[in-house]
Amino acid sequence: MKNALLAICFILIGNVAIAQKKKSTAKSKTAAPKAVILAKDESNNLQAEYLNQKIYIYLTNGAKKDTLFTRKTEVAVQADNFKMNEIKCGNKNLYMFAWEETLNKKSELITENGKVNGTDIWDLENKKNVLSNRQKVSNYEEKRYLSRHKDASETISKKINEGRLFTLLTNGDVTLTGKNGSDKYTYNAEENEFKLVKPTPKKTTPAKRKR
């Protein structure tokens, strides 16, 4: 009788151990993904991280992290494709964050290759976004079935060109170039934002009247 009870106890203990092992394995499989550090700037207490299709920019103070801003992306951003640095605009020190998303999507129906360029300029002192720009350029193909039986299909191809190309000039001005031409912006310290520089109208000489 004692032997039988001992055997039952060993079986129960073994079952509990197996159940606990299964639980711990399941927990490890569903562990939350960790953020990837893209860049750090300790002199300005800044840290850039990437998690769940988003860029997070933090202002750090020891272990404390306050979110300056976030940006959603189409694909993952690698550390090599992310830059952040101070820039001089007039007499003001601003901060620029820039990244590139490499598009290389391929599925049964959709193929897309290209890139997305994102740029944000911030006044860190006042925690203000003074300029934000996004540009996407890609080659896109989509296979569309012409009937529910999927016995015939067509391929739609197009070039995507969304947004405008950002260029930072040596004097701190910015140009944004798109389908309709290029616009120049200069930083206005009083309003703490980039303002469109309107072209100076050309002077026209009045035509001489014929006598």
Side-chain angles (χ1 to χ4, degrees):
M1 186 68 178
K2 286 183 180 180
N3 290 337
L5 288 172
L6 286 171
I8 292 170
C9 287
F10 282 127
I11 291 170
L12 291 173
I13 291 169
N15 288 338
V16 169
I18 291 169
Q20 287 178 342
K21 188 175 181 181
K22 284 183 177 179
K23 283 182 180 179
S24 62
T25 304
K27 283 182 181 179
S28 62
K29 286 183 180 179
T30 58
K34 291 184 178 180
V36 175
I37 296 176
L38 297 174
K40 286 183 179 182
D41 181 351
E42 293 181 357
S43 61
N44 286 289
N45 299 320
L46 286 166
Q47 182 163 307
E49 298 182 6
Y50 190 83
L51 178 66
N52 295 332
Q53 298 296 106
K54 271 188 178 182
I55 294 171
Y56 293 82
I57 307 298
Y58 295 109
L59 285 168
T60 62
N61 184 7
K64 184 183 177 183
K65 294 193 296 186
D66 292 325
T67 305
L68 182 65
F69 71 93
T70 66
R71 291 289 179 265
K72 188 172 176 60
T73 65
E74 289 194 33
V75 295
V77 175
Q78 307 300 323
D80 290 344
N81 293 329
F82 184 90
K83 306 295 179 189
M84 60 186 201
N85 57 279
E86 284 184 301
I87 59 173
K88 190 84 169 179
C89 298
N91 295 319
K92 179 76 171 180
N93 287 324
L94 298 174
Y95 209 94
M96 185 171 75
F97 305 86
W99 62 92
E100 181 181 295
E101 304 167 41
T102 303
L103 302 176
N104 189 15
K105 302 176 184 178
K106 190 171 181 64
S107 65
E108 181 185 351
L109 300 177
I110 293 175
T111 301
E112 185 176 17
N113 294 288
K115 63 181 181 179
V116 176
N117 290 312
T119 308
D120 264 271
I121 300 179
W122 281 75
D123 171 10
L124 295 182
E125 184 181 359
N126 296 293
K127 298 182 182 179
K128 181 183 178 184
N129 182 205
V130 294
L131 189 143
S132 186
N133 187 70
R134 179 184 181 274
Q135 183 207 26
K136 177 179 179 179
V137 179
S138 72
N139 295 312
Y140 180 91
E141 286 188 358
E142 182 179 354
K143 182 179 180 181
R144 295 179 182 176
Y145 290 107
L146 302 177
S147 70
R148 60 189 179 90
H149 301 293
K150 297 185 178 182
D151 52 359
S153 65
E154 64 176 356
T155 300
I156 307 298
S157 300
K158 62 181 179 179
K159 289 185 177 293
I160 296 176
N161 192 345
E162 299 173 349
R164 297 193 286 175
L165 173 67
F166 170 93
T167 304
L168 178 66
L169 305 180
T170 54
N171 65 349
D173 288 348
V174 165
T175 61
L176 297 178
T177 305
K179 299 173 185 176
N180 300 321
S182 180
D183 290 322
K184 184 178 178 181
Y185 293 80
T186 190
Y187 177 71
N188 184 304
E190 291 182 3
E191 298 185 38
N192 198 13
E193 63 182 34
F194 279 86
K195 305 289 287 186
L196 176 64
V197 178
K198 295 182 180 179
T200 305
K202 294 180 180 179
K203 292 183 179 180
T204 56
T205 305
K208 293 183 179 179
R209 292 182 181 180
K210 292 182 179 180
R211 294 182 178 180

